[in-house]
Amino acid sequence: MKFVTKGLSQSDLIFLYKNLLKPRLIEEKMLVLLRQGKISKWFSGIGQEAISVGVTLALNSDEYLLPMHRNLGALTSRNVPLNRLFAQWQGKMSGYTKGRDRSFHFGVKQHNIIGMISHLGPQLGVANGIALANLLKKNNKLTAVFTGDGGTSEGDFHEALNVASVWNLPVLFCVENNGYGLSTPTSQQFKCKQMVDKAIGYCMESLQIDGNNIVEVYTKISALAASVRKNPRPVLIEFLTFRMRGHEEASGTKYVPKKLLKKWAKKDPINNYQDFLINENILTEADVKTFKEEIKKEINKNITIAFNEPLVEAHIETELNDVYKTFVYKDIKPTSSTKNIRLIDAISKGLYQAMEKHNNLIIMGQDIADYGGVFKITEGFLEKFGASRVRNTPICESSIIETAYGLSINGYKSVVELQFSDFITSGFNPVINLLAKSYYRWQQPADVVLRMPCGAGVGAGPFHSQTNEAWFTKTPGLKVVYPAFPADAKGLLAMAIEDPNPVLFFEHKALYRSVYQEVAENYYTLPFGKANLLNEGTAISIITYGAGVHWALETLKNNKINADLIDLRSLQPLDTEMIFTSVKKTGKAIILQEDTMFGGIASDLSALITENCFEYLDAPVKRVASLETPVHFAKNLEDQFLPKGRFVKALQELLAY
Ligand SMILES: Cc1ncc(C[n+]2csc(CCOP(=O)(O)OP(=O)(O)O)c2C)c(N)n1
């Protein structure tokens, strides 16, 4: 191994050595503890340390790092306190996730380190969001994100590189090509001759580096970092290295040819560098011994602290109260000056005023800039707020949601327009696993609103008509709002943007241009979790939301029914108080939803009513919903699918029960 040390002083070289040594010695200790059953799962970075350490030291400490499961060296080189690291691995309170997440699935905000989620690839898109924020702040900071070779097969990798390239984001995409992804060799992972070739397709600069040579990693990344800070752009870097231990400790390396392990053992990053420093008289054997002893002492001292810490306490209340970030609710009232506008105008106006109010609000989506979005909600926004804040995106829902999360980490709010709520399936993973769990896992809020144009009745077929709120109401950490009227839509959208938690904001397409209302012209907010009692009666409670509200209103208009009509407006949080009060008064409940029946929110509402109002009920709770089929294109089929036509009959049957 050749070490080209030009430009580095002796103390620089020793500094690199000490940093390299630390993760190795920690790992050696952890492997002992693992065998003793004192810590759980471990992903070894032995043999790959030069990459984490070299990249981390080449960055400034105020630049974001997004490590993966083998990047212990990134944490140690940023001087993350060892007692807290060890506490994290034991699930203790003084770790970084209050015992809620394991091994390397945590971030350290104070050190600008963003933790991974198990799904690997999303980390790359998050880096884009952080980098975009830096670009908008014009602060000349770069961001480095790691992935393994296996992770590069995920769609997130391709989407992230594409977005970074199109938006010229200052990100170093660091791929550690260590030969295997679990048991799968790289030959079964990708077909190009070398990983760096992947950059060609994204018109991206690339660089291949010997990942076992700390001097090469440090000097090349330092030079590249200086250049990227000056001239922001993404770069794909392939670090050649090898995974010397099992995927995780329990799984072993039986499937790895012995000769490969032997070959790479000779390239060990620490032994080679240590020999070089000794040969060059930069270090003595005695220095090596002293350094090792010092680090081991530090490790043992901090392990003792972590071991002595009691187990994390389990309190249901504490856990439930930590799923959402609490925030000071800004109650801004609507003024009396109003205009008669449609639902679509109210959403557009609300978004526009939120853009005026929050300078740090970015909106992103397909065709939302010059074109104004497929529903024209953002028409004129580009001219008013500029291309930095009103961003057309490539067609890559996952990456943009990841980017939104990255923006949130680095000081921005964002609203992402899904062209149709159906397309959230292409961005499902980051919603469920990044946004929803972030605050609970490590107290990092995901200040993101996803606008979801949804619903049937427009003859748009199975992929442009779904109302898919139930995919999200069952995931703790998300808020779900579903207005039926213009005035609610405007105030609730403003609230969604104020709220630092992730909010899915459902907008029914069939209501966009058909529902009018007098709407206050000022910027105002409406609280989440407050339903609206639209009609008062004593015979039955009708509970619904979205288009169902208008079907129910029509039914009440055309039939003489003495009913409470509750428009839920927000599904998570849910106004259970209003529901229970009404049902206790009427003794009968019918729930109308546009979604298909099984697993829809009506089922949970029914269960909640049964559990909480059983003694007051005079009849079984009734659900009315769409047929258990995909949504149809032909109008007569779609009409048959939707519950509107079945509602009156069900209502009358229940009244007569
Ligand atoms: C989406 C997803 N699929 C599968 C896994 C299971 N898994 C965890 S790590 C891993 C291998 C990753 O390989 P690579 O990216 O090369 O990183 P390495 O472990 O080699 O450092 C697999 C298959 C996962 N965590 N997430």
Side-chain angles (χ1 to χ4, degrees):
M1 203 176 283
K2 204 163 168 250
F3 294 97
V4 181
T5 58
K6 200 168 154 238
L8 297 177
S9 66
Q10 285 210 0
S11 70
D12 291 337
L13 295 172
I14 293 172
F15 180 68
L16 288 179
Y17 174 72
K18 282 183 168 177
N19 273 279
L20 202 51
L21 206 49
K22 202 178 221 179
R24 174 70 58 93
L25 295 178
I26 291 176
E27 270 218 48
E28 285 174 357
K29 183 75 187 180
M30 289 303 137
L31 295 183
V32 174
L33 295 178
L34 190 76
R35 269 175 237 126
Q36 294 170 353
K38 290 186 176 157
I39 56 165
S40 70
K41 239 180 167 64
W42 186 262
F43 298 95
S44 173
I46 285 183
Q48 300 180 216
E49 297 97 334
I51 303 166
S52 318
V53 172
V55 172
T56 305
L57 295 178
L59 260 63
N60 297 325
S61 58
D62 60 357
E63 290 175 321
Y64 279 97
L65 265 181
L66 292 90
M68 294 297 290
H69 50 292
R70 297 191 201 285
N71 297 119
L72 173 59
L75 299 161
T76 53
S77 299
R78 277 262 160 111
N79 294 317
V80 170
L82 293 190
N83 62 315
R84 294 198 65 188
L85 269 188
F86 300 151
Q88 168 67 24
W89 295 326
Q90 290 167 42
K92 301 274 176 78
M93 195 62 184
S94 70
Y96 290 97
T97 60
K98 304 185 184 177
R100 292 170 187 164
D101 211 336
R102 64 182 202 182
S103 54
F104 289 94
H105 302 64
F106 66 95
V108 189
K109 284 204 263 190
Q110 311 85 292
H111 290 77
N112 296 309
I113 292 174
I114 305 306
M116 65 182 290
I117 62 166
S118 283
H119 299 68
L120 315 165
Q123 199 63 337
L124 301 151
V126 178
N128 279 347
I130 291 172
L132 173 59
N134 284 335
L135 204 63
L136 295 173
K137 293 179 193 173
K138 297 192 174 72
N139 62 13
N140 296 93
K141 287 181 188 169
L142 65 89
T143 302
V145 58
F146 293 88
T147 178
D149 43 275
T152 66
S153 299
E154 289 189 61
D156 302 78
F157 172 81
H158 301 280
E159 291 189 7
L161 263 65
N162 189 48
V163 171
S165 188
V166 173
W167 288 357
N168 236 16
L169 301 174
V171 181
L172 304 185
F173 291 101
C174 303
V175 182
E176 295 188 52
N177 185 350
N178 66 3
Y180 284 83
L182 214 155
S183 73
T184 306
T186 46
S187 60
Q188 292 171 34
Q189 202 69 249
F190 62 90
K191 188 84 176 169
C192 36
K193 228 165 142 193
Q194 45 186 4
M195 177 68 67
V196 276
D197 292 344
K198 293 199 179 195
I200 300 166
Y202 305 102
C203 198
M204 190 183 287
E205 194 176 315
S206 64
L207 186 66
Q208 198 175 52
I209 290 181
D210 178 352
N212 282 26
N213 183 329
I214 182 70
V215 175
E216 183 174 334
V217 174
Y218 177 70
T219 53
K220 287 197 172 162
I221 297 298
S222 296
L224 184 64
S227 161
V228 170
R229 283 182 201 115
K230 255 198 213 141
N231 171 23
R233 63 193 190 278
V235 183
L236 177 68
I237 305 145
E238 177 182 11
F239 295 95
L240 299 170
T241 186
F242 202 74
R243 201 193 70 207
M244 298 303 293
R245 303 192 65 88
H247 167 65
E248 40 93 23
E249 274 310 301
S251 63
T253 53
K254 257 193 187 149
Y255 48 85
V256 182
K258 295 274 169 305
K259 65 173 193 242
L260 267 180
L261 285 167
K262 256 191 181 163
K263 175 183 145 193
W264 282 92
K266 285 192 192 134
K267 293 192 189 183
D268 182 80
I270 298 176
N271 296 344
N272 278 285
Y273 187 49
Q274 187 177 296
D275 289 348
F276 163 78
L277 294 176
I278 292 172
N279 285 340
E280 294 289 314
N281 295 320
I282 297 168
L283 271 189
T284 63
E285 300 276 4
D287 291 334
V288 169
K289 199 164 168 252
T290 311
F291 292 160
K292 285 188 177 171
E293 271 165 14
E294 277 170 12
I295 296 173
K296 281 183 183 169
K297 227 165 122 186
E298 187 192 352
I299 293 171
N300 288 333
K301 188 180 112 196
N302 285 290
I303 281 183
T304 308
I305 297 174
F307 273 139
N308 286 342
E309 186 178 331
L311 291 178
V312 70
E313 288 181 29
H315 297 300
I316 289 175
E317 280 298 299
T318 310
E319 298 312 305
L320 291 176
N321 287 338
D322 244 6
V323 177
Y324 298 94
K325 182 174 167 62
T326 44
F327 73 111
V328 185
Y329 165 52
K330 299 186 193 83
D331 188 12
I332 305 171
K333 295 259 182 287
T335 52
S336 56
S337 158
T338 62
K339 230 182 178 170
N340 195 261
I341 56 173
R342 303 167 300 177
L343 181 79
I344 195 162
D345 308 319
I347 293 169
S348 178
K349 198 75 195 144
L351 190 56
Y352 191 94
Q353 289 177 343
M355 285 290 276
E356 288 179 319
K357 176 159 193 281
H358 305 283
N359 287 330
N360 66 339
L361 174 61
I362 307 296
I363 53 177
M364 301 185 284
Q366 290 151 30
D367 311 290
I368 65 157
D370 323 60
Y371 190 65
V374 291
F375 297 105
K376 303 294 171 198
I377 284 179
T378 52
E379 197 157 45
F381 280 45
L382 179 66
E383 292 74 10
K384 166 75 179 172
F385 302 107
S388 298
R389 295 182 63 201
V390 182
R391 306 187 73 90
N392 264 349
T393 72
I395 306 171
C396 48
E397 285 74 7
S398 269
S399 214
I400 295 306
I401 294 167
E402 291 154 15
T403 300
Y405 178 65
L407 279 172
S408 169
I409 288 169
N410 204 0
Y412 284 81
K413 288 176 169 290
S414 62
V415 172
V416 178
E417 174 176 305
L418 274 298
Q419 205 153 64
F420 288 85
S421 74
D422 309 69
F423 301 147
I424 194 70
T425 40
S426 296
F428 203 61
N429 182 30
V431 180
I432 302 300
N433 292 310
L434 259 184
L435 304 188
K437 297 173 180 43
S438 180
Y439 186 72
Y440 182 70
R441 288 173 58 240
W442 67 295
Q443 289 76 61
Q444 170 59 56
D447 196 347
V448 177
V449 177
L450 302 177
R451 287 191 36 239
M452 307 278 281
C454 64
V458 288
F463 307 116
H464 291 76
S465 305
Q466 294 169 91
T467 181
N468 42 10
E469 65 279 4
W471 299 353
F472 305 99
T473 46
K474 89 142 276 107
T475 301
L478 301 174
K479 294 192 179 181
V480 180
V481 185
Y482 204 143
F485 293 99
D488 285 347
K490 191 176 172 205
L492 289 170
L493 180 60
M495 194 65 206
I497 294 166
E498 297 272 353
D499 194 320
N501 296 288
V503 182
L504 286 107
F505 188 84
F506 284 84
E507 309 169 2
H508 201 293
K509 303 188 296 282
L511 305 183
Y512 267 162
R513 294 182 167 80
S514 63
V515 182
Y516 283 75
Q517 204 178 30
E518 286 294 327
V519 177
E521 292 191 280
N522 69 319
Y523 175 90
Y524 64 92
T525 54
L526 288 175
F528 288 170
K530 293 265 174 260
N532 197 7
L533 190 60
L534 293 176
N535 197 70
E536 283 195 55
T538 52
I540 195 163
S541 302
I542 304 169
I543 302 150
T544 184
Y545 58 97
V549 174
H550 298 279
W551 300 333
L553 280 170
E554 199 181 313
T555 307
L556 292 186
K557 201 171 135 204
N558 297 334
N559 301 273
K560 243 185 129 240
I561 293 168
N562 178 17
D564 263 4
L565 171 57
I566 297 175
D567 170 7
L568 292 171
R569 300 198 284 194
S570 133
L571 306 179
Q572 177 55 264
L574 189 65
D575 192 349
T576 48
E577 196 186 320
M578 183 182 284
I579 298 169
F580 298 158
T581 306
S582 170
V583 175
K584 285 176 184 173
K585 176 182 72 176
T586 64
K588 287 183 180 173
I590 186 164
I591 307 150
L592 172 62
Q593 75 176 19
E594 178 178 331
D595 193 5
T596 51
M597 179 81 84
F598 194 84
I601 195 158
S603 302
D604 268 291
L605 290 172
S606 169
L608 280 168
I609 293 168
T610 311
E611 283 166 12
N612 291 279
C613 311
F614 186 73
E615 287 90 359
Y616 298 84
L617 286 173
D618 298 324
V621 180
K622 180 83 187 156
R623 295 167 301 156
V624 186
S626 285
L627 295 183
E628 299 287 348
T629 68
V631 193
H632 309 78
F633 164 59
K635 181 153 188 341
N636 61 337
L637 290 179
E638 194 186 35
D639 286 347
Q640 174 183 269
F641 165 82
L642 290 170
K644 187 180 173 190
R646 293 183 289 279
F647 179 59
V648 188
K649 190 164 170 266
L651 185 63
Q652 280 162 349
E653 276 171 10
L654 192 58
L655 278 165
Y657 183 89

